Amino acid sequence: MLAGNNAYAPSVSVDILVVGGGGTGGPWNPSGGGLMYRGSGGGAGGLIYISSFPITGNVSYTTTVGAGGAGSSGTLQNRGSDSVFTGNGRTLTALGGGGGGYSDSTNNGQTGGSGGGQWYPGYTGASATQPANTNDGVQTWNGTGFGNKGGDSGNAQPYGSGGGGEIGRAHV
């Protein structure tokens, strides 16, 4: 706590890292009542990194940390929850990762911050939907969003693939 006159609260710049929750991997069910599900990996959550992000004194900022996708016994897997940093008219949202695909004849990996992997032969992994540029409501930050598409399925057993990962940057 500052003593004396607190009318002036300085503004500072900080490094901001916001990461969404990861997606659920595709289901695996060895019997499945005649159906056999073989899952692929869920995508990592989207990532936003901004160095020198302006923070204003005497302003409240809120952070919501996104959870990983909830497990499911069904065939549709869950996307991870978004993570959000907000305050002073600014909002940064890192999207949750896409759920992994399963053994079905459709392209069923889900999009997300990073896309879920694909299982069925010959299909492409789901795309990443975390934008490369982030507008926080005040300005646009170029090159801040990172996410990759999920892995493509193979043409020979085992078909499954991994979910998309993130691209990180070292801060020096």
Side-chain angles (χ1 to χ4, degrees):
M1 174 118 180
L2 296 174
N5 184 352
N6 292 332
Y8 174 74
S11 294
V12 296
S13 292
V14 298
D15 290 352
I16 294 287
L17 174 65
V18 185
V19 181
T24 303
W28 181 77
N29 183 347
S31 60
L35 297 175
M36 184 179 231
Y37 298 124
R38 297 179 183 135
S40 59
L47 178 147
I48 297 172
Y49 171 75
I50 300 172
S51 62
S52 300
F53 188 82
I55 300 291
T56 303
N58 288 343
V59 172
S60 293
Y61 291 86
T62 304
T63 301
T64 302
V65 178
S72 170
S73 59
T75 56
L76 182 61
Q77 294 309 294
N78 295 306
R79 193 173 156 271
S81 298
D82 297 345
S83 292
V84 182
F85 175 84
T86 187
N88 202 24
R90 302 180 105 101
T91 301
L92 299 170
T93 303
L95 302 176
Y102 59 92
S103 59
D104 192 336
S105 59
T106 59
N107 203 10
N108 51 26
Q110 296 179 41
T111 62
S114 286
Q118 188 52 261
W119 187 88
Y120 198 76
Y123 282 80
T124 302
S127 64
T129 53
Q130 184 68 46
N133 300 318
T134 299
N135 183 305
D136 68 3
V138 176
Q139 78 180 80
T140 298
W141 302 88
N142 297 320
T144 60
F146 299 98
N148 289 300
K149 80 174 196 58
D152 299 340
S153 61
N155 288 319
Q157 288 279 6
Y159 299 126
S161 63
E166 297 298 344
I167 300 170
R169 271 197 271 200
H171 176 67
V172 180

